[in-house]
Amino acid sequence: MSTPGGAVPRIAVTWAVTAPSHEPWFHAELAGLTASAAGALEAAGAHAVVLDAATGALPAAEDFDGVVVMGGGDVDPALYGGDAAHPSIDGVDRAADDAEARLMRAALAAARPVLGICRGLQLVNVVLGGSLHEDLPPAAPDGAPGMHRNHADPTGPMVLHDVAIEPGTRLAGMLGERARVVSGHHQAAARLGAGLRVAATAPDGVVEALEAADPATWLVAVQWHPEDPQTAGTAPGQLEAIMSAFVGACRGAAADRTRQSSPTVREEEPAR
């Protein structure tokens, strides 16, 4: 599928492909989730370019029409004044943090849409000056197991829970005011970054989505995994709704990029 002007949105999809801190099972899970997200982008009419953020160097944001930052290990606590010695901190790859932060800032400055998924939400918040909870409580106040991760088997399937979506948000326009989500995270947004607003929360109050408060900026981040295979059966159409809205937002940038890269054709003056 192409845009009305013939331009296909070119989307950067980043994750720490070669991060040495990722265990083999975690690497395999992230690879599968990224492939699912890239496939959904292609199905929505975009060209997905998967990039390895762990190299520490990513192409210029201006080369793309949008950026998707995927899940992964914990964001380095040094970036938000957190506790680097917290025993739960795991899978940090500072090269990926820095490379994706640069790409994200440049994309926003160039008016490119940005979508964050899981760790992507956490990095969005940190990049804009927010902070994170280093580790969510393992149990709710009533003693029930924490709802955002599978404590019995971290390598097993993610957990399911509902989220309440704020009316009038960009996310509500995609999914409505309530959604069933596939969740797997031990961290969450704490102090919000500048220019962000909460778009969705879990029943325990944990922030599950953020977006730009300024409607002129297309920035949406979800803490859950719409690209996880469980979502297709639990909340059919959720991934497609999110990716369709994102790709639609990228089409304007694609058309602009195509116009800028096309040589100007000058009409010849009629002979006199």
Side-chain angles (χ1 to χ4, degrees), residues 17-149:
V17 181
T18 56
S21 59
H22 293 176
E23 296 182 27
W25 72 266
F26 190 45
H27 178 276
E29 180 174 5
L30 294 175
L33 293 171
T34 302
S36 175
L41 288 167
E42 298 275 351
H47 173 50
V49 182
V50 178
L51 302 170
D52 181 7
T55 64
L58 292 170
E62 291 80 6
D63 293 342
F64 301 93
D65 307 305
V67 171
V68 179
V69 179
M70 297 295 300
D74 295 341
V75 175
D76 188 343
L79 293 173
Y80 57 89
D83 180 7
H86 196 289
S88 73
I89 299 299
D90 185 53
V92 172
D93 190 288
R94 182 57 185 267
D97 292 342
D98 291 342
E100 289 175 321
R102 287 192 297 270
L103 180 66
M104 193 180 297
R105 291 189 184 98
L108 292 172
R112 301 300 200 262
V114 174
L115 174 65
I117 296 177
C118 195
R119 174 184 169 278
L121 175 146
Q122 295 162 7
L123 190 61
V124 162
N125 195 45
V126 169
V127 164
L128 294 177
S131 64
L132 303 178
H133 296 292
E134 285 92 343
D135 195 39
L136 295 173
D142 62 2
M147 64 187 300
H148 303 285
R149 54 178 164 155

Side-chain angles (χ1 to χ4, degrees), residues 257-272:
R257 181 170 56 84
T258 299
R259 283 194 294 268
Q260 292 169 5
S261 62
S262 299
T264 302
V265 177
R266 298 182 61 186
E267 296 183 3
E268 294 185 2
E269 295 184 4
R272 296 180 180 176

Side-chain angles (χ1 to χ4, degrees), residues 244-256:
S244 177
F246 173 66
V247 170
C250 294
R251 288 195 172 109
D256 290 344

